[in-house]
Amino acid sequence: MRTYHCLPLFIWTYILHTVDTIPLQENGSSYLPSQRIVSLTKDDGKMLRRTKRGWMWNQFFLLEEYTGTDTQYVGKLHTDQDKGDGNLKYILTGDGAGSLFVIDENTGDIHAAKKLDREEKSLYILRAKAIDRKTGRQVEPESEFIIKIHDINDNEPKFTKDLYTASVPEMSGVGTSVVQVTATDADDANYGNSAKVVYSILQGQPYFSVDPESGIIKTALPDMSRENREQYQVVIQAKDMGGQMGGLSGTTTVNITLTDVNNNPPRFPQSTYQFSSPESAPLGTHLGRIKANDPDLGENAEVEYSIAEGEGADMFDVITDKDTQEGIITVKQNLDFEKKMLYTLRVDASNTHPDPRFLHLGPFKDTAVIKISVEDTDEPPVFSRHSYLIEVDEDVKEGSIIGQVTAYDPDAMNNLIKYSVDRNTDMDRIFSIHSENGSIFTLKPLDRESSPWHNITITATEINNPKQSSHIPVFIRILDINDHAPEFAMYYETFVCENAKPGQLIQTVSVMDKDDPPRGHKFFFEPVPEFPLNPNFTIVDNKDNTAGIMTRKDGYSRNKMSTYLLPILIFDNDYPIQSSTGTLTIRVCACDNQGNMQSCNAEALVLSAGLSTGALIAILLCVLILLILVVLFAALKRQRKKEPLIISKDDVRDNIVTYNDEGGGEEDTQAFDIGTLRNPEAREDSKLRRDVMPETIFQIRRTVPLWENIDVQDFIHRRLKENDSDPSAPPYDSLATYAYEGNDSIADSLSSLESLTADCNQDYDYLSDWGPRFKKLADMYGGDESDRD
């Protein structure tokens, strides 16, 4: 097939080319030519094949952006099979066939129906075939061809960003890179200079320049200062056609900021500052603020303040406020107007992050003079110490002086001072203080075991000005005195087996002591003096504050003695020695061969010898049934109505007369004579009963006095016999009282009924000699009058 194409534009010349086509699978061509095979015979008998020329065509080219009124002619398709009789039909398929490219099916002429843009698509691949109209079959195999779009300079360069933002440190040298701008041209870079871009600067000179090929913006002036100017706006142009006239161009804007560097030292706006402070200012009080100005920014403007060595460096301090970059003058030591009235300080302000590149510009610090005047005030009393520690024995007597605090008035007037105890810190009023000299003394006894420490506060107040006062803590440590006896750490109750052998350990006891001796506890165990040698058990001191209880004899019997009480004397080694007696309860129990307890009751031994468990349960059930029957019988008997033996209301033998009145006590001498209760030797005259009115007045028989008899039992029996044999006794039940006290006790009466009412106090000190059992009474009655109060 031959292809004729004619491009009627400018410089194009249309040449008819004949191209031999080859199979697609051999050379990768984009079209499929028709093949005819001719057979040739050679000497070797092999068959040779030759490709016959079918389609005859050339590659098509087309300019973009065609603006003519007619359709743009592309080319013509033709096959050798076309005889010009109209029997063949040309069909075009592929990219844009039918829409962008149309073909005359009779002549094979191809036209572009629309304007094409190379930037959208630069290459079109189409396929052509010729079909016999009568048979509908292809007369040639389908072939492929290419239409290429030629570029024209119709696109201006475009920057990747409409606005660029960049920064460069101030004081940078000439030629320091700032930022690179990039512009692209959509035209074909391989065809002419349509896509060759050149950069130039339109605005921003003489501060910056741009590389024409790379688009890198650089500094053009040295030592540009941010403090003078911080923001710059640079306009860059990109032009194609290598910057020649007629080329298209585009622009962009670059905002450049000079970043700060530490090239400026801090400077005080004034050389001298003056402040004042009362002498009573607390430590840390802010006296004033100073500030050194630094035109730099951020950490480059951070300033640190310090007081130079010299006067006042130990009395005042300066603190840097990180937020405001100010220096705060504070009080470091207590001021005293009487000692010094004026201080002169030298305060330095320096950068915390100096830049070594600019140290040659000078020292990056400044100095100012601070003058501080101290004002006189009325100051509160001052104690000689910040706190006091007093140690005192717990057995110190009431009213004893245990320590002293001192305070003075720091003012020139030297006012008198009085001392007092803050009662909020001594609610129990255990301590007090002399208001004049500050001596602390006790008001109550001390006990280390209940309160080993007392923390009180002492107040010193000026007498002329009570508003001026100071407080000081006083820590009072109570030292231990051996005033508690050791005692068992717990209640001990153990057992011993009936088959125990001599020398067996049955219990280990330990003790506790509320005291706290400095050398530690050391306890000793011994039998009580009343029973120095116990025939049943032995007390062995283990020398480690414990004691072991050992069996002393061979075998024990529950029937003879089921429980033993073993008293143990315990005493310590501190001064004065304290001792107590603890009692260990030991039960006798039946054990197996391994010593395990089985039973500790003597009754269980009798029952277990003759009865089994089932028999015991049966007996218990029988007893329960009998109890139920008794209860039912009693209930039935109560419901039974029974006539009384004596119906007459005059019979007063079983009558109970209730008066519902209360006696007058010892002062009421009309109810009955209580003299007999007080003195058995009182006259025993029989008197008439005052509770009932008898019908007949019987002759009262006087009984023989028995006060000489000291036998209480014989005394009661005689009285009972007299009343039973007395014919004049009333014929009704009565209550006979037999009051007999006996002779006086050698210990006298402990009752308070007959206590002496004299004003003098009785002496109960002898109760302390009666032993630990009367210790409570001795504590209650043995103290002095202030303790009892």
Side-chain angles (χ1 to χ4, degrees):
M1 175 182 291
R2 292 185 178 86
T3 304
Y4 305 96
H5 58 94
C6 181
L7 301 181
L9 290 177
F10 301 125
I11 62 175
W12 293 103
T13 303
Y14 306 101
I15 304 173
L16 179 64
H17 297 277
T18 303
V19 179
D20 293 334
T21 59
I22 56 176
L24 180 64
Q25 57 269 29
E26 292 182 1
N27 59 4
S29 176
S30 59
Y31 56 93
L32 295 174
S34 60
Q35 297 179 353
R36 294 185 179 180
I37 301 175
V38 179
S39 298
L40 298 175
T41 304
K42 288 189 176 182
D43 296 339
D44 54 2
K46 296 181 180 179
M47 183 170 292
L48 300 177
R49 296 185 177 180
R50 183 179 67 86
T51 302
K52 183 181 178 183
R53 182 177 57 192
W55 293 91
M56 297 180 64
W57 60 286
N58 200 357
Q59 193 175 35
F60 299 144
F61 295 90
L62 193 64
L63 284 177
E64 66 170 337
E65 303 297 340
Y66 175 71
T67 57
T69 56
D70 298 333
T71 59
Q72 190 175 5
Y73 181 74
V74 178
K76 181 179 181 66
L77 297 180
H78 184 73
T79 178
D80 295 341
Q81 302 297 326
D82 188 0
K83 303 302 183 181
D85 54 2
N87 291 329
L88 294 182
K89 177 182 180 182
Y90 295 96
I91 298 177
L92 185 66
T93 60
D95 295 341
S99 59
L100 296 179
F101 303 102
V102 294
I103 189 173
D104 188 335
E105 61 181 12
N106 295 321
T107 63
D109 293 329
I110 302 175
H111 292 80
K114 296 181 179 179
K115 182 171 65 175
L116 303 179
D117 188 358
R118 189 202 64 83
E119 285 71 30
E120 293 182 1
K121 191 175 180 63
S122 63
L123 183 69
Y124 295 87
I125 300 175
L126 295 99
R127 291 177 296 276
K129 55 183 177 181
I131 299 175
D132 190 334
R133 293 180 184 272
K134 295 181 180 179
T135 62
R137 295 180 180 180
Q138 294 185 15
V139 297
E140 292 287 350
E142 186 179 60
S143 182
E144 195 174 71
F145 61 96
I146 297 173
I147 300 177
K148 287 185 176 182
I149 309 301
H150 272 183
D151 181 51
I152 63 174
N153 189 18
D154 60 342
N155 292 281
E156 71 278 3
K158 292 184 178 180
F159 286 92
T160 56
K161 295 181 180 179
D162 295 333
L163 179 65
Y164 286 84
T165 301
S167 62
V168 63
E170 63 173 334
M171 309 299 291
S172 297
V174 177
T176 303
S177 296
V178 179
V179 68
Q180 183 179 15
V181 295
T182 303
T184 59
D185 196 320
D187 293 326
D188 190 357
N190 298 322
Y191 181 76
N193 294 328
S194 299
K196 185 178 182 180
V197 178
V198 174
Y199 301 94
S200 62
I201 184 169
L202 300 181
Q203 178 182 328
Q205 295 175 335
Y207 307 103
F208 299 95
S209 63
V210 63
D211 187 280
E213 295 184 358
S214 63
I216 297 177
I217 300 175
K218 301 178 181 180
T219 58
L221 288 180
D223 299 333
M224 288 189 295
S225 176
R226 183 199 63 82
E227 290 74 24
N228 296 332
R229 183 177 178 182
E230 183 178 2
Q231 299 287 340
Y232 293 88
Q233 189 175 73
V234 179
V235 178
I236 303 298
Q237 174 184 265
K239 189 174 183 180
D240 59 11
M241 298 297 293
Q244 298 177 4
M245 294 184 59
L248 303 179
S249 64
T251 60
T252 186
T253 301
V254 182
N255 291 330
I256 300 177
T257 303
L258 295 185
T259 58
D260 184 62
V261 296
N262 192 5
N263 62 330
N264 295 283
R267 290 288 182 265
F268 283 105
Q270 60 191 69
S271 60
T272 303
Y273 296 84
Q274 291 185 353
F275 300 102
S276 62
S277 171
E279 62 176 340
S280 61
L283 301 183
T285 301
H286 294 183
L287 303 182
R289 291 173 175 259
I290 58 176
K291 183 176 183 180
N293 299 321
D294 191 331
D296 294 324
L297 298 176
E299 66 176 15
N300 296 324
E302 291 182 0
V303 180
E304 184 178 7
Y305 299 89
S306 61
I307 297 179
E309 294 294 334
E311 179 186 355
D314 57 341
M315 301 299 297
F316 301 94
D317 196 5
V318 60
I319 303 174
T320 302
D321 189 336
K322 298 297 183 182
D323 296 331
T324 62
Q325 297 300 314
E326 293 177 325
I328 305 173
I329 308 299
T330 62
V331 178
K332 185 178 181 181
Q333 296 291 339
N334 291 322
L335 303 178
D336 191 349
F337 174 82
E338 289 71 23
K339 292 183 180 180
K340 194 173 182 61
M341 295 181 292
L342 181 63
Y343 292 89
T344 301
L345 313 177
R346 294 179 61 87
V347 178
D348 295 334
S350 57
N351 283 134
T352 57
H353 300 87
D355 194 334
R357 297 177 300 173
F358 306 104
L359 293 179
H360 64 278
L361 299 179
F364 278 74
K365 71 174 183 179
D366 196 11
T367 303
V369 176
I370 311 296
K371 292 184 178 181
I372 302 175
S373 59
V374 181
E375 300 175 351
D376 187 21
T377 58
D378 188 5
E379 300 175 85
V382 178
F383 284 93
S384 59
R385 301 180 187 176
H386 295 293
S387 64
Y388 290 85
L389 174 62
I390 300 176
E391 295 183 345
V392 59
D393 294 334
E394 63 175 326
D395 62 345
V396 67
K397 295 183 179 180
E398 299 178 18
S400 300
I401 295 177
I402 62 174
Q404 185 180 17
V405 297
T406 57
Y408 65 92
D409 184 7
D411 296 324
M413 298 180 62
N414 195 15
N415 294 323
L416 295 179
I417 297 173
K418 65 176 181 179
Y419 302 91
S420 61
V421 178
D422 186 355
R423 288 305 172 189
N424 292 325
T425 61
D426 185 26
M427 302 295 293
D428 297 332
R429 296 182 175 270
I430 301 177
F431 303 96
S432 185
I433 188 171
H434 290 288
S435 61
E436 296 180 358
N437 58 14
S439 298
I440 301 175
F441 59 92
T442 60
L443 296 177
K444 295 181 180 180
L446 305 178
D447 186 8
R448 187 203 66 84
E449 287 69 31
S450 60
S451 296
W453 284 89
H454 295 273
N455 302 328
I456 64 175
T457 300
I458 301 299
T459 303
T461 307
E462 292 184 8
I463 295 178
N464 296 335
N465 187 6
K467 294 182 179 180
Q468 296 296 335
S469 62
S470 300
H471 307 277
I472 196 73
V474 178
F475 307 103
I476 303 175
R477 180 184 180 186
I478 309 303
L479 302 179
D480 184 49
I481 297 297
N482 192 28
D483 57 347
H484 289 82
E487 55 188 12
F488 279 152
M490 57 178 293
Y491 173 74
Y492 287 100
E493 181 177 355
T494 185
F495 70 94
V496 61
C497 296
E498 287 185 310
N499 56 356
K501 302 297 181 182
Q504 290 186 356
L505 177 64
I506 62 173
Q507 182 66 45
T508 299
V509 296
S510 60
V511 298
M512 59 173 292
D513 194 340
K514 295 180 179 179
D515 295 319
D516 186 17
R519 294 174 297 176
H521 290 290
K522 181 64 178 177
F523 305 114
F524 303 93
F525 304 84
E526 292 180 358
V528 294
E530 294 82 357
F531 303 100
L533 184 62
N534 192 299
N536 301 308
F537 303 98
T538 303
I539 302 174
V540 179
D541 192 342
N542 297 329
K543 306 301 182 182
D544 60 352
N545 296 337
T546 63
I549 310 302
M550 314 290 291
T551 57
R552 194 179 183 91
K553 65 179 183 179
D554 188 4
Y556 298 84
S557 175
R558 283 185 292 171
N559 295 330
K560 294 181 180 181
M561 181 67 71
S562 61
T563 303
Y564 292 92
L565 300 178
L566 179 62
I568 302 175
L569 179 63
I570 312 167
F571 57 93
D572 54 24
N573 67 336
D574 206 355
Y575 180 82
I577 296 177
Q578 299 288 342
S579 63
S580 66
T581 301
T583 303
L584 176 64
T585 303
I586 305 174
R587 303 174 63 189
V588 181
C589 302
C591 305
D592 55 14
N593 295 332
Q594 285 75 26
N596 299 321
M597 181 182 64
Q598 292 183 340
S599 177
C600 293
N601 298 325
E603 294 78 2
L605 179 63
V606 177
L607 294 175
S608 61
L611 297 176
S612 63
T613 304
L616 291 175
I617 295 175
I619 292 175
L620 293 176
L621 290 176
C622 293
V623 172
L624 181 61
I625 293 174
L626 289 176
L627 290 176
I628 295 174
L629 293 177
V630 170
V631 172
L632 292 176
F633 179 76
L636 293 175
K637 188 175 181 180
R638 286 183 179 181
Q639 296 179 357
R640 184 184 303 168
K641 295 183 180 180
K642 185 176 180 180
E643 295 295 335
L645 297 176
I646 301 176
I647 304 178
S648 176
K649 296 182 180 180
D650 297 334
D651 192 353
V652 296
R653 288 179 298 176
D654 291 333
N655 289 348
I656 298 177
V657 179
T658 303
Y659 292 95
N660 292 328
D661 58 353
E662 182 178 354
E666 294 183 2
E667 302 297 334
D668 188 2
T669 59
Q670 300 300 323
F672 57 88
D673 186 9
I674 65 173
T676 305
L677 297 176
R678 296 181 177 177
N679 189 359
E681 296 180 0
R683 186 173 181 178
E684 300 182 0
D685 297 335
S686 298
K687 296 182 179 182
L688 295 178
R689 292 183 54 153
R690 303 172 62 90
D691 55 350
V692 295
M693 178 69 69
E695 295 180 358
T696 305
I697 303 300
F698 296 95
Q699 181 68 27
I700 303 302
R701 182 180 62 84
R702 298 184 181 273
T703 60
V704 180
L706 298 176
W707 55 84
E708 68 279 359
N709 194 343
I710 62 174
D711 189 354
V712 178
Q713 184 176 5
D714 186 35
F715 171 81
I716 295 176
H717 280 299
R718 289 190 182 185
R719 288 286 189 177
L720 183 60
K721 185 176 180 181
E722 288 178 2
N723 282 276
D724 291 341
S725 60
D726 187 4
S728 62
Y732 47 81
D733 295 340
S734 63
L735 176 64
T737 301
Y738 308 104
Y740 181 79
E741 187 178 48
N743 291 336
D744 295 340
S745 172
I746 61 175
D748 294 335
S749 175
L750 296 178
S751 173
S752 62
L753 296 177
E754 296 187 16
S755 300
L756 297 177
T757 60
D759 296 336
C760 59
N761 293 332
Q762 299 186 30
D763 186 8
Y764 294 98
D765 293 340
Y766 62 86
L767 295 176
S768 302
D769 301 332
W770 286 10
R773 296 185 179 180
F774 294 90
K775 185 176 182 301
K776 185 65 176 178
L777 290 176
D779 294 340
M780 295 174 58
Y781 295 94
D784 55 13
E785 181 179 359
S786 61
D787 290 340
R788 290 194 298 275
D789 293 341

